[in-house]
Amino acid sequence: MGNAGRLWRVVRLYGPLGCAREIGYALLRFEVRFAGPSMSDYYKTEDLERFAEIGKNAPQLWEKFSAYYGAVFEEGALSEREKALIALGVAHALQCPYCIDAFTQTSLEKGSNLEQMTEAVHVAAAIRGGAALVHGVQMRNVASKLSM
Amino acid sequence: MPGTASLKRRHHELAVIAHQLDVIKHDGGVEPFEQSLSRAGIDALQTDGIRVMQINVGKMCNQTCKHCHVDAGPDRTEIMTRETMELCLRALERLEIPIVDLTGGAPEMNPHFRWLVERVRALGRHVIDRCNLTILTLPKYAGLVEFLARHQVEVTASLPYYIGERTDAQRGEGVFERSIEALHQLNDAGYGQTDSGLVLNLVYNPVGAYLPPRQEAIEADYRRELLKRYGIVFNRVFTITNMPINRFLEYLIESGNYPSYMRRLHAAFNPDAARAVMCREMLSIGWDGDLYDCDFNQMLGLHCDHGAPKHIADFDPQRLQDRQIVTGQHCYGCTAGAGSSCGGALD
């Protein structure tokens, strides 16, 4: 297969948007090679599918974590859909790109819509913002102590 | 651009079935379906009688949905003739198949639709109409709801979500509003109402490259939201996974989701769902009378094989009731997660 054939195969396999993404990755690899790693080099979409590799050197811990993780997200007092929305909010509070990818998909697959998912993100934003703001009381306490 | 006309009308390369089969076979990036079956201890899928005769009466439709596995639309002219319908009826007389499932396109657009329903009902068989809802709001098809109710036809209607924006994103601008109008007509005729005996089921399918939710969970959401927002009642919600063929395949490729969607289906492969797939109890008939194991195989031109007849004129109960099913990479769509069928999840 010639280069044109290979290129056509890639276009067909990944589609125009997928191709653009692959070209982006290629440029990134080029940049890393010649200019050193950048922030975005640490978060690759395909790494999410490699999550289980973390169990290679500590399989028992991974198995226990996996069992616990699975049990947490089972239907209980909260529905699977509610738990996925909580996880989506937490993912934003933690600013974890992998978790955002995973729980956006999970939320859709549990039947949530964009209105509900956006509200979940606002809950995370409100708690993060509130957490910063409530520390203002500490600031006021210190300022009060230091001031006449 | 998807959603404006059929692949065939646009002369899209996926409209060439040999090419599409090549893409499905080689470009999904996951192991062969038969290998997954084999690892689960299943040699090959085998039918277990015929409980459902699914007749695709034509590819003509008044909508051009972006995910359509039939590649149906107003520009498709393939329509089943009355002669072919008579062959179907003759087969029903020879074998006690309890359910006749009418699909399309929009099956109601076939000029012989009502005649076929009357004849099948006269044979005492249960009839399902796979309805896109909006057809019920067109003046040309006035009286259809009353006709369906009079003949106790079960209506299985497409409504991919209870919010208009998402339904329209998949099925076309304004479809949701007209679907709600049609659902009111059906409710008024008794469909979905307790003890009416008129069954109205809704079909959820994902508006994008992801799997459907648990059927019971989304059914509860539909019941609550449709009643609260529109005063609509129904019997069941069926969740159906989008099949990576025809226009949904086009969407997957164009949006860059094809390999990841196939990996998602493959990762969710469920042997129990594979043991219960709908094709094990179904015979699918194309608009021209050709025989298939399911409507998806039909759209890919994959006829019944392994010694089974290939046309309704050659209907042979013995060879069709116990036949090996033709499989391919698209079969991952029916075996992912809780499984998927024309009757919803399999568990």
PDB file of all heavy atoms in Angstrom, chain A residues 29-55:
ATOM      1  N   ARG A  29       3.788  15.336  19.418  1.00  0.00           N
ATOM      2  CA  ARG A  29       4.938  14.443  19.572  1.00  0.00           C
ATOM      3  C   ARG A  29       6.192  15.107  19.017  1.00  0.00           C
ATOM      4  O   ARG A  29       7.268  15.019  19.609  1.00  0.00           O
ATOM      5  CB  ARG A  29       4.658  13.110  18.858  1.00  0.00           C
ATOM      6  CG  ARG A  29       3.704  12.205  19.635  1.00  0.00           C
ATOM      7  CD  ARG A  29       3.725  10.790  19.080  1.00  0.00           C
ATOM      8  NE  ARG A  29       3.117  10.707  17.762  1.00  0.00           N
ATOM      9  CZ  ARG A  29       1.805  10.510  17.567  1.00  0.00           C
ATOM     10  NH1 ARG A  29       1.003  10.368  18.593  1.00  0.00           N
ATOM     11  NH2 ARG A  29       1.310  10.444  16.355  1.00  0.00           N
ATOM     12  N   PHE A  30       6.023  15.818  17.884  1.00  0.00           N
ATOM     13  CA  PHE A  30       7.137  16.529  17.272  1.00  0.00           C
ATOM     14  C   PHE A  30       7.663  17.598  18.236  1.00  0.00           C
ATOM     15  O   PHE A  30       8.862  17.718  18.479  1.00  0.00           O
ATOM     16  CB  PHE A  30       6.658  17.177  15.967  1.00  0.00           C
ATOM     17  CG  PHE A  30       7.727  17.942  15.236  1.00  0.00           C
ATOM     18  CD1 PHE A  30       8.639  17.272  14.428  1.00  0.00           C
ATOM     19  CD2 PHE A  30       7.844  19.318  15.371  1.00  0.00           C
ATOM     20  CE1 PHE A  30       9.631  17.975  13.754  1.00  0.00           C
ATOM     21  CE2 PHE A  30       8.825  20.020  14.715  1.00  0.00           C
ATOM     22  CZ  PHE A  30       9.720  19.351  13.906  1.00  0.00           C
ATOM     23  N   GLU A  31       6.701  18.316  18.848  1.00  0.00           N
ATOM     24  CA  GLU A  31       7.066  19.396  19.760  1.00  0.00           C
ATOM     25  C   GLU A  31       7.781  18.834  20.992  1.00  0.00           C
ATOM     26  O   GLU A  31       8.787  19.372  21.446  1.00  0.00           O
ATOM     27  CB  GLU A  31       5.791  20.140  20.183  1.00  0.00           C
ATOM     28  CG  GLU A  31       6.069  21.387  21.011  1.00  0.00           C
ATOM     29  CD  GLU A  31       4.778  21.956  21.614  1.00  0.00           C
ATOM     30  OE1 GLU A  31       3.724  21.839  20.976  1.00  0.00           O
ATOM     31  OE2 GLU A  31       4.859  22.497  22.726  1.00  0.00           O
ATOM     32  N   VAL A  32       7.270  17.695  21.509  1.00  0.00           N
ATOM     33  CA  VAL A  32       7.875  17.083  22.697  1.00  0.00           C
ATOM     34  C   VAL A  32       9.308  16.647  22.391  1.00  0.00           C
ATOM     35  O   VAL A  32      10.222  16.842  23.179  1.00  0.00           O
ATOM     36  CB  VAL A  32       7.022  15.870  23.159  1.00  0.00           C
ATOM     37  CG1 VAL A  32       7.769  15.055  24.190  1.00  0.00           C
ATOM     38  CG2 VAL A  32       5.693  16.355  23.717  1.00  0.00           C
ATOM     39  N   ARG A  33       9.458  16.093  21.184  1.00  0.00           N
ATOM     40  CA  ARG A  33      10.767  15.556  20.812  1.00  0.00           C
ATOM     41  C   ARG A  33      11.812  16.667  20.732  1.00  0.00           C
ATOM     42  O   ARG A  33      12.942  16.502  21.167  1.00  0.00           O
ATOM     43  CB  ARG A  33      10.635  14.836  19.468  1.00  0.00           C
ATOM     44  CG  ARG A  33      11.887  14.106  19.078  1.00  0.00           C
ATOM     45  CD  ARG A  33      11.635  13.189  17.903  1.00  0.00           C
ATOM     46  NE  ARG A  33      12.881  12.669  17.401  1.00  0.00           N
ATOM     47  CZ  ARG A  33      13.009  12.029  16.270  1.00  0.00           C
ATOM     48  NH1 ARG A  33      11.963  11.812  15.524  1.00  0.00           N
ATOM     49  NH2 ARG A  33      14.186  11.591  15.875  1.00  0.00           N
ATOM     50  N   PHE A  34      11.398  17.806  20.177  1.00  0.00           N
ATOM     51  CA  PHE A  34      12.392  18.844  19.931  1.00  0.00           C
ATOM     52  C   PHE A  34      12.339  19.998  20.929  1.00  0.00           C
ATOM     53  O   PHE A  34      13.263  20.772  21.031  1.00  0.00           O
ATOM     54  CB  PHE A  34      12.231  19.378  18.499  1.00  0.00           C
ATOM     55  CG  PHE A  34      12.543  18.324  17.484  1.00  0.00           C
ATOM     56  CD1 PHE A  34      11.540  17.667  16.796  1.00  0.00           C
ATOM     57  CD2 PHE A  34      13.866  17.932  17.243  1.00  0.00           C
ATOM     58  CE1 PHE A  34      11.827  16.676  15.876  1.00  0.00           C
ATOM     59  CE2 PHE A  34      14.154  16.941  16.318  1.00  0.00           C
ATOM     60  CZ  PHE A  34      13.140  16.304  15.636  1.00  0.00           C
ATOM     61  N   ALA A  35      11.224  20.126  21.651  1.00  0.00           N
ATOM     62  CA  ALA A  35      11.135  21.261  22.577  1.00  0.00           C
ATOM     63  C   ALA A  35      10.841  20.813  24.000  1.00  0.00           C
ATOM     64  O   ALA A  35      10.659  21.626  24.880  1.00  0.00           O
ATOM     65  CB  ALA A  35      10.030  22.207  22.096  1.00  0.00           C
ATOM     66  N   GLY A  36      10.788  19.455  24.247  1.00  0.00           N
ATOM     67  CA  GLY A  36      10.502  18.979  25.597  1.00  0.00           C
ATOM     68  C   GLY A  36       9.003  18.912  25.829  1.00  0.00           C
ATOM     69  O   GLY A  36       8.225  19.448  25.048  1.00  0.00           O
ATOM     70  N   PRO A  37       8.585  18.204  26.906  1.00  0.00           N
ATOM     71  CA  PRO A  37       7.156  18.012  27.151  1.00  0.00           C
ATOM     72  C   PRO A  37       6.432  19.308  27.513  1.00  0.00           C
ATOM     73  O   PRO A  37       7.007  20.165  28.171  1.00  0.00           O
ATOM     74  CB  PRO A  37       7.126  17.034  28.337  1.00  0.00           C
ATOM     75  CG  PRO A  37       8.445  17.160  28.991  1.00  0.00           C
ATOM     76  CD  PRO A  37       9.423  17.579  27.942  1.00  0.00           C
ATOM     77  N   SER A  38       5.190  19.411  27.058  1.00  0.00           N
ATOM     78  CA  SER A  38       4.361  20.536  27.457  1.00  0.00           C
ATOM     79  C   SER A  38       3.267  19.991  28.384  1.00  0.00           C
ATOM     80  O   SER A  38       3.136  18.788  28.556  1.00  0.00           O
ATOM     81  CB  SER A  38       3.719  21.177  26.234  1.00  0.00           C
ATOM     82  OG  SER A  38       2.792  20.279  25.672  1.00  0.00           O
ATOM     83  N   MET A  39       2.471  20.892  28.957  1.00  0.00           N
ATOM     84  CA  MET A  39       1.414  20.471  29.897  1.00  0.00           C
ATOM     85  C   MET A  39       0.460  19.475  29.247  1.00  0.00           C
ATOM     86  O   MET A  39       0.114  18.454  29.848  1.00  0.00           O
ATOM     87  CB  MET A  39       0.646  21.720  30.357  1.00  0.00           C
ATOM     88  CG  MET A  39      -0.405  21.437  31.410  1.00  0.00           C
ATOM     89  SD  MET A  39       0.297  20.753  32.921  1.00  0.00           S
ATOM     90  CE  MET A  39      -1.208  20.286  33.767  1.00  0.00           C
ATOM     91  N   SER A  40       0.077  19.771  27.985  1.00  0.00           N
ATOM     92  CA  SER A  40      -0.916  18.903  27.343  1.00  0.00           C
ATOM     93  C   SER A  40      -0.362  17.516  27.058  1.00  0.00           C
ATOM     94  O   SER A  40      -1.116  16.570  26.850  1.00  0.00           O
ATOM     95  CB  SER A  40      -1.427  19.550  26.054  1.00  0.00           C
ATOM     96  OG  SER A  40      -0.346  19.797  25.191  1.00  0.00           O
ATOM     97  N   ASP A  41       0.940  17.367  27.053  1.00  0.00           N
ATOM     98  CA  ASP A  41       1.543  16.062  26.803  1.00  0.00           C
ATOM     99  C   ASP A  41       1.242  15.086  27.942  1.00  0.00           C
ATOM    100  O   ASP A  41       1.335  13.882  27.772  1.00  0.00           O
ATOM    101  CB  ASP A  41       3.051  16.224  26.656  1.00  0.00           C
ATOM    102  CG  ASP A  41       3.681  14.975  26.071  1.00  0.00           C
ATOM    103  OD1 ASP A  41       3.089  14.411  25.129  1.00  0.00           O
ATOM    104  OD2 ASP A  41       4.727  14.554  26.574  1.00  0.00           O
ATOM    105  N   TYR A  42       0.854  15.579  29.092  1.00  0.00           N
ATOM    106  CA  TYR A  42       0.599  14.699  30.233  1.00  0.00           C
ATOM    107  C   TYR A  42      -0.780  14.062  30.166  1.00  0.00           C
ATOM    108  O   TYR A  42      -1.031  13.096  30.832  1.00  0.00           O
ATOM    109  CB  TYR A  42       0.735  15.484  31.539  1.00  0.00           C
ATOM    110  CG  TYR A  42       2.167  15.865  31.838  1.00  0.00           C
ATOM    111  CD1 TYR A  42       2.596  17.175  31.699  1.00  0.00           C
ATOM    112  CD2 TYR A  42       3.085  14.890  32.238  1.00  0.00           C
ATOM    113  CE1 TYR A  42       3.908  17.512  31.952  1.00  0.00           C
ATOM    114  CE2 TYR A  42       4.410  15.217  32.491  1.00  0.00           C
ATOM    115  CZ  TYR A  42       4.812  16.548  32.344  1.00  0.00           C
ATOM    116  OH  TYR A  42       6.110  16.876  32.591  1.00  0.00           O
ATOM    117  N   TYR A  43      -1.702  14.644  29.408  1.00  0.00           N
ATOM    118  CA  TYR A  43      -3.068  14.128  29.359  1.00  0.00           C
ATOM    119  C   TYR A  43      -3.422  13.682  27.943  1.00  0.00           C
ATOM    120  O   TYR A  43      -3.706  14.507  27.089  1.00  0.00           O
ATOM    121  CB  TYR A  43      -4.056  15.196  29.815  1.00  0.00           C
ATOM    122  CG  TYR A  43      -3.944  15.539  31.281  1.00  0.00           C
ATOM    123  CD1 TYR A  43      -3.540  16.804  31.690  1.00  0.00           C
ATOM    124  CD2 TYR A  43      -4.248  14.582  32.248  1.00  0.00           C
ATOM    125  CE1 TYR A  43      -3.437  17.111  33.040  1.00  0.00           C
ATOM    126  CE2 TYR A  43      -4.156  14.879  33.593  1.00  0.00           C
ATOM    127  CZ  TYR A  43      -3.744  16.146  33.990  1.00  0.00           C
ATOM    128  OH  TYR A  43      -3.659  16.449  35.316  1.00  0.00           O
ATOM    129  N   LYS A  44      -3.371  12.373  27.716  1.00  0.00           N
ATOM    130  CA  LYS A  44      -3.712  11.844  26.398  1.00  0.00           C
ATOM    131  C   LYS A  44      -4.994  11.032  26.522  1.00  0.00           C
ATOM    132  O   LYS A  44      -5.099  10.173  27.403  1.00  0.00           O
ATOM    133  CB  LYS A  44      -2.597  10.950  25.876  1.00  0.00           C
ATOM    134  CG  LYS A  44      -1.291  11.675  25.650  1.00  0.00           C
ATOM    135  CD  LYS A  44      -0.225  10.671  25.275  1.00  0.00           C
ATOM    136  CE  LYS A  44       1.132  11.342  25.281  1.00  0.00           C
ATOM    137  NZ  LYS A  44       2.227  10.359  25.343  1.00  0.00           N
ATOM    138  N   THR A  45      -5.926  11.299  25.610  1.00  0.00           N
ATOM    139  CA  THR A  45      -7.225  10.618  25.659  1.00  0.00           C
ATOM    140  C   THR A  45      -7.051   9.099  25.732  1.00  0.00           C
ATOM    141  O   THR A  45      -7.713   8.423  26.517  1.00  0.00           O
ATOM    142  CB  THR A  45      -8.048  10.971  24.402  1.00  0.00           C
ATOM    143  OG1 THR A  45      -8.049  12.388  24.278  1.00  0.00           O
ATOM    144  CG2 THR A  45      -9.477  10.472  24.495  1.00  0.00           C
ATOM    145  N   GLU A  46      -6.138   8.590  24.929  1.00  0.00           N
ATOM    146  CA  GLU A  46      -5.998   7.129  24.847  1.00  0.00           C
ATOM    147  C   GLU A  46      -5.437   6.528  26.145  1.00  0.00           C
ATOM    148  O   GLU A  46      -5.564   5.329  26.386  1.00  0.00           O
ATOM    149  CB  GLU A  46      -5.130   6.734  23.652  1.00  0.00           C
ATOM    150  CG  GLU A  46      -3.708   7.261  23.672  1.00  0.00           C
ATOM    151  CD  GLU A  46      -3.552   8.603  22.971  1.00  0.00           C
ATOM    152  OE1 GLU A  46      -4.532   9.368  22.962  1.00  0.00           O
ATOM    153  OE2 GLU A  46      -2.458   8.893  22.463  1.00  0.00           O
ATOM    154  N   ASP A  47      -4.827   7.365  26.995  1.00  0.00           N
ATOM    155  CA  ASP A  47      -4.291   6.835  28.256  1.00  0.00           C
ATOM    156  C   ASP A  47      -5.393   6.353  29.198  1.00  0.00           C
ATOM    157  O   ASP A  47      -5.147   5.496  30.049  1.00  0.00           O
ATOM    158  CB  ASP A  47      -3.450   7.908  28.969  1.00  0.00           C
ATOM    159  CG  ASP A  47      -2.086   8.053  28.316  1.00  0.00           C
ATOM    160  OD1 ASP A  47      -1.766   7.235  27.422  1.00  0.00           O
ATOM    161  OD2 ASP A  47      -1.344   8.980  28.691  1.00  0.00           O
ATOM    162  N   LEU A  48      -6.597   6.918  29.053  1.00  0.00           N
ATOM    163  CA  LEU A  48      -7.706   6.511  29.923  1.00  0.00           C
ATOM    164  C   LEU A  48      -7.980   5.016  29.778  1.00  0.00           C
ATOM    165  O   LEU A  48      -8.254   4.326  30.764  1.00  0.00           O
ATOM    166  CB  LEU A  48      -8.958   7.321  29.563  1.00  0.00           C
ATOM    167  CG  LEU A  48     -10.221   7.065  30.390  1.00  0.00           C
ATOM    168  CD1 LEU A  48      -9.970   7.263  31.874  1.00  0.00           C
ATOM    169  CD2 LEU A  48     -11.344   7.980  29.931  1.00  0.00           C
ATOM    170  N   GLU A  49      -7.856   4.515  28.549  1.00  0.00           N
ATOM    171  CA  GLU A  49      -8.103   3.092  28.308  1.00  0.00           C
ATOM    172  C   GLU A  49      -6.991   2.214  28.876  1.00  0.00           C
ATOM    173  O   GLU A  49      -7.119   1.003  28.930  1.00  0.00           O
ATOM    174  CB  GLU A  49      -8.271   2.836  26.807  1.00  0.00           C
ATOM    175  CG  GLU A  49      -9.568   3.437  26.275  1.00  0.00           C
ATOM    176  CD  GLU A  49      -9.716   3.271  24.771  1.00  0.00           C
ATOM    177  OE1 GLU A  49      -9.041   2.404  24.196  1.00  0.00           O
ATOM    178  OE2 GLU A  49     -10.504   4.035  24.175  1.00  0.00           O
ATOM    179  N   ARG A  50      -5.875   2.869  29.297  1.00  0.00           N
ATOM    180  CA  ARG A  50      -4.748   2.103  29.852  1.00  0.00           C
ATOM    181  C   ARG A  50      -4.767   2.124  31.384  1.00  0.00           C
ATOM    182  O   ARG A  50      -3.799   1.727  32.027  1.00  0.00           O
ATOM    183  CB  ARG A  50      -3.440   2.677  29.325  1.00  0.00           C
ATOM    184  CG  ARG A  50      -3.310   2.579  27.802  1.00  0.00           C
ATOM    185  CD  ARG A  50      -2.065   3.324  27.325  1.00  0.00           C
ATOM    186  NE  ARG A  50      -0.883   2.909  28.067  1.00  0.00           N
ATOM    187  CZ  ARG A  50       0.170   3.688  28.311  1.00  0.00           C
ATOM    188  NH1 ARG A  50       0.180   4.929  27.870  1.00  0.00           N
ATOM    189  NH2 ARG A  50       1.197   3.251  29.002  1.00  0.00           N
ATOM    190  N   PHE A  51      -5.864   2.613  31.960  1.00  0.00           N
ATOM    191  CA  PHE A  51      -5.963   2.786  33.412  1.00  0.00           C
ATOM    192  C   PHE A  51      -5.530   1.522  34.159  1.00  0.00           C
ATOM    193  O   PHE A  51      -4.787   1.579  35.143  1.00  0.00           O
ATOM    194  CB  PHE A  51      -7.412   3.182  33.761  1.00  0.00           C
ATOM    195  CG  PHE A  51      -7.631   3.641  35.172  1.00  0.00           C
ATOM    196  CD1 PHE A  51      -6.567   3.931  36.047  1.00  0.00           C
ATOM    197  CD2 PHE A  51      -8.928   3.797  35.663  1.00  0.00           C
ATOM    198  CE1 PHE A  51      -6.800   4.369  37.340  1.00  0.00           C
ATOM    199  CE2 PHE A  51      -9.166   4.230  36.961  1.00  0.00           C
ATOM    200  CZ  PHE A  51      -8.097   4.504  37.808  1.00  0.00           C
ATOM    201  N   ALA A  52      -5.999   0.361  33.663  1.00  0.00           N
ATOM    202  CA  ALA A  52      -5.741  -0.899  34.372  1.00  0.00           C
ATOM    203  C   ALA A  52      -4.253  -1.243  34.461  1.00  0.00           C
ATOM    204  O   ALA A  52      -3.846  -2.053  35.303  1.00  0.00           O
ATOM    205  CB  ALA A  52      -6.503  -2.037  33.703  1.00  0.00           C
ATOM    206  N   GLU A  53      -3.421  -0.612  33.617  1.00  0.00           N
ATOM    207  CA  GLU A  53      -1.975  -0.894  33.669  1.00  0.00           C
ATOM    208  C   GLU A  53      -1.390  -0.546  35.028  1.00  0.00           C
ATOM    209  O   GLU A  53      -0.338  -1.051  35.418  1.00  0.00           O
ATOM    210  CB  GLU A  53      -1.251  -0.101  32.575  1.00  0.00           C
ATOM    211  CG  GLU A  53      -1.472  -0.658  31.192  1.00  0.00           C
ATOM    212  CD  GLU A  53      -0.758   0.158  30.126  1.00  0.00           C
ATOM    213  OE1 GLU A  53       0.248   0.821  30.444  1.00  0.00           O
ATOM    214  OE2 GLU A  53      -1.245   0.149  28.977  1.00  0.00           O
ATOM    215  N   ILE A  54      -2.078   0.335  35.761  1.00  0.00           N
ATOM    216  CA  ILE A  54      -1.578   0.752  37.067  1.00  0.00           C
ATOM    217  C   ILE A  54      -1.589  -0.427  38.046  1.00  0.00           C
ATOM    218  O   ILE A  54      -0.907  -0.421  39.062  1.00  0.00           O
ATOM    219  CB  ILE A  54      -2.408   1.955  37.604  1.00  0.00           C
ATOM    220  CG1 ILE A  54      -1.585   2.821  38.562  1.00  0.00           C
ATOM    221  CG2 ILE A  54      -3.688   1.514  38.239  1.00  0.00           C
ATOM    222  CD1 ILE A  54      -0.502   3.600  37.894  1.00  0.00           C
ATOM    223  N   GLY A  55      -2.335  -1.486  37.684  1.00  0.00           N
ATOM    224  CA  GLY A  55      -2.393  -2.669  38.539  1.00  0.00           C
ATOM    225  C   GLY A  55      -1.235  -3.623  38.345  1.00  0.00           C
ATOM    226  O   GLY A  55      -1.102  -4.598  39.082  1.00  0.00           O
TER     227      GLY A  55
END
